[in-house]
Amino acid sequence: EVQEHQKTGAGGGVADSLVDGFLGYLHVERDASPLTIRNYSADIAAFGTWFEEKYKQPCAWVPVDSFHLRGYLVHLTERQFDRATIHLKMSALRSFFKWLVRTERVKLNPLMGLTLPKKARKLPKFLTIQQVEALLEAPLTEDSKNKLAAWRNKAILETLYSAGLRIHELVQLNDDDMDVLGEVVRVRGKGKKERLAALGGPAIETLQKYLEVRARSARGPLFVNRLGGRMTARSMQRMLKKYLIAAGLDPSLTPHKLRHSFATHMLDAGADLRSVQELLGHANLSTTQIYTHITPERLKKVYEKAHPRA
């Protein structure tokens, strides 16, 4: 599956063996997803194209230095890419050059010491508890004539919110990942790391009803389409948009907003940050900490409880 991403060469479409080697390393040794490989491939190729256009010669990679990369950073800034996108593009190059150093193709990583613009930390959007409840009820109302679709779609939304899953984690779930009695689900997260995510009572009940309506004994994908195949993230996103509209909510909200809502509601209810970090599958606590800055109500409660002059 990595082969489709390997013809990335900066020199007029000619395959670049160094890039090919790096993408192969991502696929075989790092077990990176096809999407990750595709994104890294595109970002590395974009630099190669810029280099060739600016210096009128193909990018050979080994001679690239910090001067070239600073020039590329200026180019990205002038193109008005947002800071998060710039960080992603430079991160792909940083990983590539780390691999070149490790495999002794180059002596130093030219990105060492290169200062990137600070990322603006946007507070993630989330739904209120009342909005989530309206959304979760929409499938049974909107698809009352199609019992299987109604219960399957409600189970999808309930599981997303109850366990705080990423959409690709939900898509990968199989029947045998569910532990109904234990009220947990085994999740394969980023980097193929597995974790156990908790499921609440409503999610368990909805999943049991869905499995009962589905009436399929074969072990396989948990959420299936009408042909019995695994549902895709895109089909789930289309489904979510339909129910957002039905619930009178912003149809541009993504499945990830249910994950944000999960984290926000957990912390607002008094859950400790470390526990929420584990449930979300975040490698670093700093990633989870952004959710502590969201709701003024929560900050006000903490202030009134803790400040001697509140």
Side-chain angles (χ1 to χ4, degrees), residues 35-47:
L35 179 61
T36 296
I37 296 171
R38 191 179 306 124
N39 290 340
Y40 272 49
S41 173
D43 289 337
I44 293 169
F47 174 83

Side-chain angles (χ1 to χ4, degrees), residues 6-31:
Q6 289 188 337
K7 304 304 179 184
T8 60
V14 176
D16 184 318
S17 62
L18 290 178
V19 179
D20 290 352
F22 174 63
L23 297 178
Y25 155 77
L26 289 178
H27 174 58
V28 176
E29 296 187 39
R30 295 291 300 275
D31 197 21

Side-chain angles (χ1 to χ4, degrees), residues 9 39 64 90 93 101 130 153 155 192 209-210 214 241 259 262 271 301 310:
N39 290 340
V64 171
M90 299 305 284
L93 290 168
V101 171
Q130 292 73 24
N153 295 346
K192 309 296 183 185
K209 185 65 178 179
Y210 160 58
R214 191 185 70 177
K241 184 172 184 177
R259 180 171 160 88
F262 159 85
K301 284 178 184 175

